[in-house]
Amino acid sequence: MANYKLEIEYDGTKYKGWQRLENSGPTIQGKIEGVLTQLLDESIEIIGSGRTDAGVHALGQVANFKTKQDLPSRKILEYLNQYLPEDIVVKKVEAVDERFHSRIKAVNKTYLYKIWNGSVPSAIHRKFSYHVPGNLDVKAMIEGGSYLVGKHDFIAFSSLKKIKKSTEREIYKVDITRSGNLIEIAINGEGFLYNMVRIIVGTLINIGQGKVPPDAIQHILKSKDRQLAGETVPPQGLFLVKVNYDIK
Amino acid sequence: MANYKLEIEYDGTKYKGWQRLENSGPTIQGKIEGVLTQLLDESIEIIGSGRTDAGVHALGQVANFKTKQDLPSRKILEYLNQYLPEDIVVKKVEAVDERFHSRIKAVNKTYLYKIWNGSVPSAIHRKFSYHVPGNLDVKAMIEGGSYLVGKHDFIAFSSLKKIKKSTEREIYKVDITRSGNLIEIAINGEGFLYNMVRIIVGTLINIGQGKVPPDAIQHILKSKDRQLAGETVPPQGLFLVKVNYDIK
């Protein structure tokens, strides 16, 4: 059994998200499976490192699939990029160990959120950023972000309805930078709850606007109360940048 | 008579270029004039600093228009951004001297061209860059670019058919940088002939690929022969960044 790992970039604008859905519009998983099924002439299911929501982008989503056929990785890469729409690009295909599983074996992930902090929206960046006019104090946002680092129960920063599993996660790094009107928030962690990055960003925006102080993050974490955190910012500013693994 | 100066950002993907055309699809000029005519209830003609071709973008195109009405700049800005499609954004509106003319009074302009130099195309950058796979020697391109600086006859770097006026132009600065897979070529000059930036970039790509040496630029300038320069690279990598003026 061959196991292939894919690294995928996509512009999520037109998609209903990563996960294949019946009768609800195009998905990234569905498009890639369609082309692989056509190439291999057998029904292929790909496993993503995690779902991304409708409208969210990826620079380095990872997925894997198994097949009894043994094809050169290069051929799979070329075939996929020939038949996929141009808003989905496979950057890399590798034959990997049979035990590789893109979700279970993921060690940490990096997400990036882009805020367009100009007085008017940006025509060029509009599909890849969230427009927040008015003053944003990036220094306060950086301080707020520092309180996220470490192992915490992030339930207050999640849209989870039913909670079965642990909501504790470890965040390793939060990087916030400004370049002109563009503010970029990069977060690396072992894993993320549903909508966690988008609610963290909504909270950091509240901090940047001076609505709450930077150490409100500590208070919100402790409270475990979704109502105290900021709003879920829109999907078009979010990018899944990289998924890291120990083994191949 | 009031004279208003507009600074405009646009995503040129869906447009037939800047210049209003009859029966040939949407143009940036046409869209803006339509909204201004609606606001002012008189036929408004805007003068652009120069035309941009179909598919070319702008971060800072400048235009001006005259009207007998006296409206606050802020009101014009808000009305335009309310009624323009989201791929055209007016960044600034200013009441200026009656003698201000966005084309005639322009002192210099900066254009930017983005090359995506990855082995596969980019899903995210595809509408705002030109994909050139394979090795590109940026150092050689920088050397090539340095020979463009100064006052030269740029006729070899132009698609002009009939030549009536002088084809001499002065280039002040050529900046070429790489960041990951993205190569950016910024050119500042007093003015540019038709397709000049796109043919210069095509020639710099030939240099980066080692097809011609960096000092071929000097030879091509001297030859005045369009056939010796590179191809006209596609429009989606090109941005009109800034137009500078002495007076307001």
Side-chain angles (χ1 to χ4, degrees):
Chain A
M1 204 69 164
N3 189 9
Y4 292 98
K5 178 187 176 193
L6 311 177
E7 200 182 315
I8 308 147
E9 175 178 334
Y10 47 86
D11 168 357
T13 308
K14 288 189 189 164
Y15 295 93
K16 298 286 175 189
W18 169 264
Q19 197 187 18
R20 182 179 9 93
L21 298 162
E22 304 307 328
N23 310 319
S24 353
T27 65
I28 320 291
Q29 184 188 9
K31 287 285 178 192
I32 297 173
E33 286 179 350
V35 176
L36 286 173
T37 295
Q38 177 186 308
L39 167 66
L40 296 163
D41 203 22
E42 57 174 308
S43 176
I44 297 290
E45 185 171 356
I46 63 173
I47 299 159
S49 75
R51 304 168 190 177
T52 54
D53 280 335
V56 172
H57 316 292
L59 292 167
Q61 168 69 294
V62 173
N64 72 293
F65 70 93
K66 293 186 177 185
T67 170
K68 281 171 193 156
Q69 296 176 60
D70 187 25
L71 277 174
S73 299
R74 183 165 188 82
K75 188 165 175 180
I76 298 172
L77 178 85
E78 286 171 358
Y79 192 90
L80 280 165
N81 286 330
Q82 186 178 347
Y83 290 101
L84 282 170
E86 60 178 11
D87 49 11
I88 304 176
V89 172
V90 177
K91 295 164 79 174
K92 208 170 170 184
V93 177
E94 278 180 285
V96 287
D97 190 285
E98 213 178 315
R99 288 164 301 173
F100 178 85
H101 185 290
S102 60
R103 181 169 50 78
I104 294 169
K105 299 290 184 181
V107 174
N108 66 74
K109 287 182 185 180
T110 302
Y111 279 95
L112 176 68
Y113 198 91
K114 295 192 187 188
I115 295 168
W116 183 258
N117 185 222
S119 59
V120 293
S122 165
I124 301 295
H125 296 274
R126 74 190 192 284
K127 290 182 176 171
F128 303 101
S129 65
Y130 171 41
H131 179 223
V132 181
N135 190 52
L136 281 180
D137 179 348
V138 171
K139 229 177 120 186
M141 293 167 76
I142 291 170
E143 189 194 333
S146 73
Y147 299 119
L148 295 163
V149 176
K151 195 174 256 185
H152 305 286
D153 184 341
F154 280 97
I155 184 71
F157 295 92
S158 162
S159 305
L160 286 169
K161 293 278 154 50
K162 297 179 230 161
I163 296 134
K164 297 177 212 159
K165 296 178 188 168
S166 165
T167 50
E168 203 176 81
R169 294 289 184 278
E170 186 164 358
I171 295 293
Y172 302 117
K173 208 174 174 192
V174 180
D175 256 327
I176 307 178
T177 54
R178 177 195 280 278
S179 165
N181 285 334
L182 204 60
I183 296 173
E184 300 198 332
I185 302 173
I187 305 181
N188 174 262
E190 65 164 342
F192 297 86
L193 306 176
Y194 185 54
N195 277 348
M196 180 168 145
V197 177
R198 287 161 64 184
I199 298 169
I200 285 175
V201 171
T203 310
L204 291 172
I205 289 170
N206 287 346
I207 292 171
Q209 291 171 331
K211 291 178 186 165
V212 293
D215 62 8
I217 296 278
Q218 295 176 302
H219 177 60
I220 299 165
L221 283 168
K222 216 182 270 176
S223 75
K224 303 187 185 183
D225 183 356
R226 170 71 188 89
Q227 298 306 315
L228 297 183
E231 61 170 16
T232 307
V233 291
Q236 79 277 3
L238 186 60
F239 296 74
L240 171 55
V241 175
K242 201 166 179 348
V243 189
N244 290 309
Y245 298 89
D246 273 343
I247 67 146
K248 278 203 176 178
Chain B
M1 202 71 166
N3 189 10
Y4 291 98
K5 178 187 176 193
L6 311 177
E7 201 182 313
I8 309 147
E9 176 178 331
Y10 47 85
D11 168 357
T13 308
K14 287 188 190 165
Y15 295 93
K16 297 287 176 189
W18 169 264
Q19 196 187 19
R20 181 176 12 88
L21 297 162
E22 304 306 329
N23 310 318
S24 353
T27 65
I28 320 291
Q29 184 188 8
K31 288 285 177 192
I32 297 172
E33 285 179 351
V35 177
L36 286 173
T37 296
Q38 178 186 309
L39 167 65
L40 297 161
D41 203 21
E42 59 174 306
S43 176
I44 296 290
E45 185 171 354
I46 63 172
I47 299 160
S49 75
R51 303 169 191 176
T52 54
D53 280 335
V56 171
H57 316 292
L59 293 167
Q61 167 71 293
V62 173
N64 72 294
F65 71 94
K66 294 186 177 185
T67 170
K68 281 170 195 158
Q69 298 176 58
D70 188 24
L71 277 174
S73 300
R74 186 168 184 81
K75 187 166 174 176
I76 298 173
L77 178 86
E78 285 172 357
Y79 192 90
L80 280 164
N81 286 330
Q82 186 178 349
Y83 289 102
L84 281 170
E86 61 178 10
D87 49 10
I88 304 175
V89 172
V90 177
K91 296 164 77 175
K92 208 171 171 183
V93 176
E94 279 179 284
V96 288
D97 191 284
E98 213 179 315
R99 289 163 301 173
F100 178 84
H101 184 291
S102 61
R103 180 169 50 77
I104 294 169
K105 299 290 184 181
V107 173
N108 66 74
K109 288 182 186 178
T110 302
Y111 279 95
L112 176 67
Y113 198 92
K114 295 192 187 188
I115 295 169
W116 183 258
N117 185 222
S119 59
V120 293
S122 166
I124 301 294
H125 296 274
R126 73 190 192 285
K127 289 181 175 172
F128 302 101
S129 65
Y130 171 41
H131 179 224
V132 181
N135 190 53
L136 282 179
D137 180 347
V138 171
K139 228 178 121 185
M141 293 167 75
I142 292 170
E143 189 193 335
S146 73
Y147 299 119
L148 294 163
V149 176
K151 196 174 254 185
H152 304 286
D153 184 341
F154 281 98
I155 184 70
F157 294 93
S158 162
S159 304
L160 286 168
K161 292 279 153 49
K162 296 181 230 159
I163 297 135
K164 297 176 210 158
K165 296 177 187 167
S166 165
T167 50
E168 203 176 81
R169 294 290 184 279
E170 185 164 358
I171 295 293
Y172 302 118
K173 209 174 174 192
V174 180
D175 256 327
I176 307 177
T177 54
R178 176 195 281 277
S179 166
N181 285 335
L182 204 60
I183 297 173
E184 300 198 333
I185 301 173
I187 306 182
N188 174 262
E190 65 164 343
F192 295 87
L193 306 175
Y194 185 55
N195 277 347
M196 181 169 144
V197 178
R198 288 161 63 184
I199 297 170
I200 284 175
V201 171
T203 309
L204 291 172
I205 289 170
N206 287 346
I207 291 170
Q209 291 172 332
K211 290 179 187 165
V212 293
D215 62 8
I217 295 278
Q218 295 177 300
H219 177 60
I220 298 164
L221 284 167
K222 214 182 272 175
S223 75
K224 303 186 184 184
D225 183 356
R226 169 70 187 89
Q227 298 307 313
L228 296 184
E231 60 169 16
T232 307
V233 290
Q236 80 276 3
L238 187 60
F239 297 73
L240 172 55
V241 175
K242 201 167 181 348
V243 188
N244 290 308
Y245 298 89
D246 272 343
I247 67 148
K248 275 202 175 177

